[in-house]
Amino acid sequence: MKNNFFLLTGVLILFSNCAVIRPGEAGVKQTLGKFSDKVITQGTVVYNPFISKVLKESTQTNNINLVMSLPSKEGLSVDAEISILYRLEQNKIPSVLRNLGQDYEDIITSVFRSASSDVCAKFFAKDMHSGMRADIEREIKLKMDENLEKQADGIELISVLMKRIRLPLGLSNSIEQRLQAEQDAMRMEFVIQQAKLEAERKIIDAEGERDAQIILATGLTPDIIKIKSIDAFNKLSISPNSKIIITDGKTPMLINANE
């Protein structure tokens, strides 16, 4: 029984001295407060729990979500939901822990607040809700990279995303009214263009009909009229229907054809 007790105690002590590094993680051993430069990847690490410990950090892409008010060039406050995507460079994790500690996300958040205030103050509020949003995100990221390099080397910023922007109510209504006015103007321009095209079509039709009448009148000589009259009488004569043909008694001509 005594041997079993010591065996069990030894096993428990052995397992308490082990740390498991899983995929997507990296470990750094800290001995008497000093961080090792060696980064431990996947596997099991044995350490002395009385003087050492193993700090495990994620090497995957991490996301910091923030909801805050951003200043604009005209002095307005714009509510925004922000995502900061970052990851730790595996070989530089000891540097990050030495300079920033395990609360490095707080440092990233503080750097973002400073950078976003500086950058957004150069843009109008409407710019944050337009195609210039990507330019604002890019400038904030560049500003953050510059500030983080002064703090510690090893944090890789992937992107800064302004996911949701809520403009002040008065400005939002003004933008909607302007967009509605632009749509109304475009619609009116389309209606006017259609009316012009319809008017041009009617003029072309009228000119064509006029030209046709002129051509027809020019070509109707007395001889042509006689030939047309004879053709008409011939067609009437072979028609099976009963009919009455009235002439002047001289030639098969229409009455008053000479006039």
Side-chain angles (χ1 to χ4, degrees):
M1 293 291 294
K2 186 180 293 185
N3 291 335
N4 291 337
F5 173 77
F6 284 119
L7 179 62
L8 180 60
T9 303
V11 171
L12 291 175
I13 292 174
L14 177 64
F15 277 100
S16 65
N17 297 346
C18 294
V20 179
I21 309 299
R22 296 177 174 81
E25 292 181 336
V28 177
K29 185 181 291 187
Q30 183 182 24
T31 303
L32 296 176
K34 183 179 180 180
F35 288 104
S36 171
D37 290 329
K38 181 181 179 182
V39 178
I40 308 162
T41 55
Q42 301 179 35
T44 303
V45 184
V46 179
Y47 63 95
N48 185 344
F50 298 104
I51 60 173
S52 302
K53 61 180 179 179
V54 175
L55 301 181
K56 295 185 288 185
E57 298 295 337
S58 172
T59 57
Q60 297 176 332
T61 299
N62 296 290
N63 180 31
I64 300 176
N65 272 318
L66 297 173
V67 177
M68 58 183 294
S69 294
L70 300 174
S72 67
K73 188 174 183 178
E74 62 265 61
L76 299 174
S77 293
V78 179
D79 294 333
E81 182 179 349
I82 312 295
S83 281
I84 305 171
L85 301 180
Y86 77 95
R87 63 169 165 258
L88 299 180
E89 298 180 34
Q90 182 174 293
N91 296 331
K92 298 179 179 179
I93 291 177
S95 173
V96 174
L97 293 176
R98 288 192 193 99
N99 292 285
L100 304 181
Q102 288 187 285
D103 295 329
Y104 49 82
E105 282 198 353
D106 293 339
I107 305 298
I108 296 174
T109 300
S110 297
V111 169
F112 169 78
R113 292 182 184 277
S114 174
S116 61
S117 297
D118 291 344
V119 172
C120 292
K122 299 186 297 184
F123 292 87
F124 292 105
K126 63 182 180 64
D127 297 335
M128 304 180 196
H129 206 273
S130 66
M132 299 187 68
R133 181 186 300 187
D135 297 332
I136 298 173
E137 294 172 345
R138 184 166 51 253
E139 287 197 30
I140 292 175
K141 179 181 179 299
L142 292 174
K143 189 75 173 178
M144 290 182 67
D145 283 331
E146 180 183 343
N147 292 335
L148 282 174
E149 285 180 0
K150 300 176 182 178
Q151 305 293 328
D153 184 23
I155 298 176
E156 179 188 359
L157 282 178
I158 299 173
S159 61
V160 175
L161 305 175
M162 304 175 72
K163 297 191 298 184
R164 183 179 60 85
I165 299 294
R166 187 171 63 189
L167 299 175
L169 184 59
L171 179 60
S172 179
N173 290 339
S174 298
I175 292 176
E176 289 180 1
Q177 291 173 2
R178 179 177 61 82
L179 293 176
Q180 184 63 45
E182 290 178 356
Q183 291 178 359
D184 292 342
M186 291 176 63
R187 184 165 50 250
M188 183 58 64
E189 184 179 351
F190 175 77
V191 172
I192 293 173
Q193 186 66 22
Q194 290 295 105
K196 288 182 178 179
L197 292 175
E198 181 65 18
E200 290 176 1
R201 185 191 66 80
K202 289 181 178 180
I203 291 174
I204 292 172
D205 289 346
E207 290 177 348
E209 186 175 352
R210 180 200 61 193
D211 294 341
Q213 293 293 338
I214 292 173
I215 294 171
L216 185 61
T218 303
L220 286 178
T221 63
D223 293 335
I224 295 296
I225 295 175
K226 290 179 180 180
I227 293 172
K228 294 291 185 183
S229 299
I230 294 172
D231 290 340
F233 280 117
N234 287 335
K235 291 180 181 179
L236 287 172
S237 65
I238 62 175
S239 173
N241 300 324
S242 59
K243 75 282 295 179
I244 299 174
I245 300 175
I246 302 175
T247 71
D248 58 357
K250 297 179 180 179
T251 57
M253 296 291 291
L254 297 177
I255 297 175
N256 297 328
N258 292 325
E259 293 182 359

